[in-house]
């Protein structure tokens, strides 16, 4: 018997049919005799919808209230998924971040997980329940609801896998695994069968959103094997794990992109001490992150 964490992203629970399919996948794992913890994202583009709703009401919404709002998306999908599992004749219980005490700092909209109360989840697992946890959310020490930043359900999944010492964390998504570049943009992209934590960290930090970067940090720190795979079929996807000898021979593993980056050229800057500082102070004051200076 293994302890398996399965995370289903927004597109994998985007409608009723997909929720039912995810439920079948989960039940199949349970039937094989494993303990299963499931982490779910909000359905489809629900989080985007909530963000734009907020900005229609107030162009600069309070971050506390934004987290209050955004956390609702995941609460819908966990309950529906539990109901779908019940329809298949299996036991399952859904939990919000608050209920399983995913404790974070107080940085609303980009909170960091400090600790997870594993005992509550263990009790439910020992009671033969399939445990379904809302991704992307936690609470701070004062019980305020926080969210972990976009794509944060991956972090919830890896944090739970670490806290409960899971054997593997399966990330179910809308592509077959990690590719050499985004397969939705480059048709020739190839699926990578095995990739090291460090290579995955690099790809994620450069914009490959298939895994949220902090989730890979968790995996590396606690040595958890990640299996990124399709929620639409059963073929093997990509294993993210510790580097082995065969992996070292690759020179270029993949290419990532970022749509939110601009190149700005300032011409004719005299070579005088203090000028660079003047330019970058102005940039920093406007909260603009500088990626590269040439
Ligand atoms: P989920 O809703 O399951 O969390 P995401 O949209 O966050 O899914 O991540 C999956 C998406 O990541 C894919 O649909 C793909 O467009 C994109 N992506 C970007 N780079 C890569 C890559 N190197 N390999 C696979 N997918 C990638
Ligand atoms: N629902 C959240 C988002 O869209 C978290 C996630 O999908 O991982 O960013
Ligand atoms: Mg994602």
């Amino acid at each position: 018997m293994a302890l398996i964490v399965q995370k289903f992203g927004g597109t994998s629970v985007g409608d009723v049919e997909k929720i039912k399919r995810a439920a079948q996948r989960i039940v199949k794992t349970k039937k094989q005799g494993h303990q299963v913890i499931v982490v779910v994202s909000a359905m489809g583009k629900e989080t985007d919808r909530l963000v734009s709703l907020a900005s229609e009401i107030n162009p600069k919404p309070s971050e506390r209230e934004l987290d209050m709002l955004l956390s609702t998306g995941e609460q819908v999908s966990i309950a529906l998924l539990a109901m779908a599992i019940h329809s298949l004749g299996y036991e399952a219980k859904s939990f919000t971040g608050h209920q399983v005490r995913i404790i974070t700092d107080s940085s609303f909209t980009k909170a960091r997980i400090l600790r997870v109360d594993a005992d509550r989840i263990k009790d439910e697992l020992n009671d033969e329940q399939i445990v379904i946890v809302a991704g992307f959310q936690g609470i701070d020490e004062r019980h305020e609801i926080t969210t972990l930043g976009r794509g944060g359900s991956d972090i919830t999944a890896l944090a739970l896998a670490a806290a409960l010492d899971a054997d593997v964390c399966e990330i179910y998504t809308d592509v077959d695994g990690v590719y050499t570049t985004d397969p939705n943009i480059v048709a020739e992209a190839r699926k990578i069968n095995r990739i090291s934590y460090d290579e995955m960290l690099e790809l994620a930090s450069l914009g490959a959103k298939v895994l949220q970067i902090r989730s890979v940090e968790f995996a590396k720190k606690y040595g958890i094997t990640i299996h990124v795979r399709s929620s639409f079929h059963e073929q093997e996807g990509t294993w993210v794990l510790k580097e082995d000898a065969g992996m070292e021979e690759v020179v270029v593993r993949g290419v990532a992109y970022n749509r939110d980056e601009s190149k700005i050229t300032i011409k004719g800057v005299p070579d005088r001490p203090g000028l660079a500082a003047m330019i970058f102070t102005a940039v920093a004051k406007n909260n603009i992150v500088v990626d590269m200076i040439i």
Side-chain angles (χ1 to χ4, degrees):
M1 181 184 74
L3 173 56
I4 299 177
V5 175
Q6 299 188 322
K7 179 254 169 180
F8 290 85
T11 42
S12 306
V13 291
D15 57 36
V16 168
E17 280 318 305
K18 286 179 180 158
I19 290 177
K20 287 182 178 171
R21 193 156 40 183
Q24 279 165 0
R25 176 65 65 101
I26 295 160
V27 163
K28 191 168 177 195
T29 311
K30 179 73 185 156
K31 265 189 200 161
Q32 288 163 350
H34 304 303
Q35 290 187 317
V36 191
I37 301 171
V38 183
V39 173
V40 203
S41 297
M43 291 172 69
K45 299 219 173 297
E46 176 64 6
T47 310
D48 290 340
R49 189 185 75 84
L50 294 171
V51 169
S52 64
L53 206 56
S55 61
E56 274 179 50
I57 298 277
N58 183 330
K60 276 199 167 174
S62 136
E63 292 192 326
R64 178 190 184 277
E65 301 310 327
L66 202 51
D67 279 358
M68 183 65 85
L69 178 70
L70 297 192
S71 64
T72 63
E74 272 69 12
Q75 194 166 336
V76 171
S77 48
I78 52 170
L80 292 175
L81 185 59
M83 292 172 196
I85 293 174
H86 297 162
S87 302
L88 298 173
Y90 277 76
E91 302 230 46
K93 272 192 196 169
S94 64
F95 297 94
T96 62
H98 193 166
Q99 288 175 297
V100 288
R101 288 205 284 281
I102 298 179
I103 310 292
T104 70
D105 63 18
S106 303
S107 309
F108 294 116
T109 76
K110 48 184 169 309
R112 283 183 171 265
I113 294 179
L114 302 176
R115 60 183 183 280
V116 175
D117 179 5
D119 289 343
R120 175 73 200 265
I121 298 178
K122 272 185 201 152
D123 286 348
E124 298 291 349
L125 289 173
N126 291 337
D127 216 20
E128 290 306 317
Q129 293 287 338
I130 293 169
V131 174
I132 305 174
V133 179
F136 175 57
Q137 57 176 262
I139 48 161
D140 73 2
E141 304 282 2
R142 296 165 58 214
H143 293 215
E144 298 276 27
I145 294 177
T146 54
T147 65
L148 310 178
R150 298 305 305 270
S153 298
D154 294 339
I155 307 173
T156 309
L158 266 303
L160 291 181
L164 284 120
D165 197 18
D167 295 280
V168 62
C169 182
E170 297 182 333
I171 303 285
Y172 288 92
T173 187
D174 60 347
V175 286
D176 293 351
V178 180
Y179 278 70
T180 46
T181 193
D182 189 339
N184 286 323
I185 294 185
V186 182
E188 294 86 358
R190 278 181 294 116
K191 196 183 89 194
I192 301 167
N193 293 329
R194 290 152 61 84
I195 185 168
S196 72
Y197 295 125
D198 286 325
E199 289 169 329
M200 192 61 234
L201 273 174
E202 190 108 0
L203 270 183
S205 72
L206 294 171
K209 69 170 182 164
V210 61
L211 278 178
Q212 215 280 357
I213 179 164
R214 269 156 50 209
S215 70
V216 189
E217 284 168 359
F218 259 105
K220 183 182 175 189
K221 185 165 169 193
Y222 295 99
I224 302 156
T225 301
I226 307 178
H227 187 187
V228 181
R229 57 193 309 191
S230 168
S231 58
F232 307 127
H233 59 69
E234 303 225 353
Q235 278 152 31
E236 247 185 57
T238 301
W239 295 91
V240 186
L241 26 76
K242 221 171 134 216
E243 185 165 272
D244 62 34
M247 288 177 174
E248 284 171 14
E249 286 151 23
V250 178
V251 181
V252 177
R253 179 67 75 186
V255 177
Y257 67 93
N258 182 352
R259 290 189 194 278
D260 303 320
E261 204 143 346
S262 308
K263 177 183 164 193
I264 296 169
T265 308
I266 308 179
K267 287 189 173 161
V269 181
D271 188 10
R272 255 204 335 263
L275 258 180
M278 205 176 86
I279 293 168
F280 290 113
T281 304
V283 171
K285 270 194 183 146
N286 287 283
N287 282 337
I288 297 164
V289 180
V290 178
D291 185 24
M292 208 181 281
I293 305 167
I294 303 172

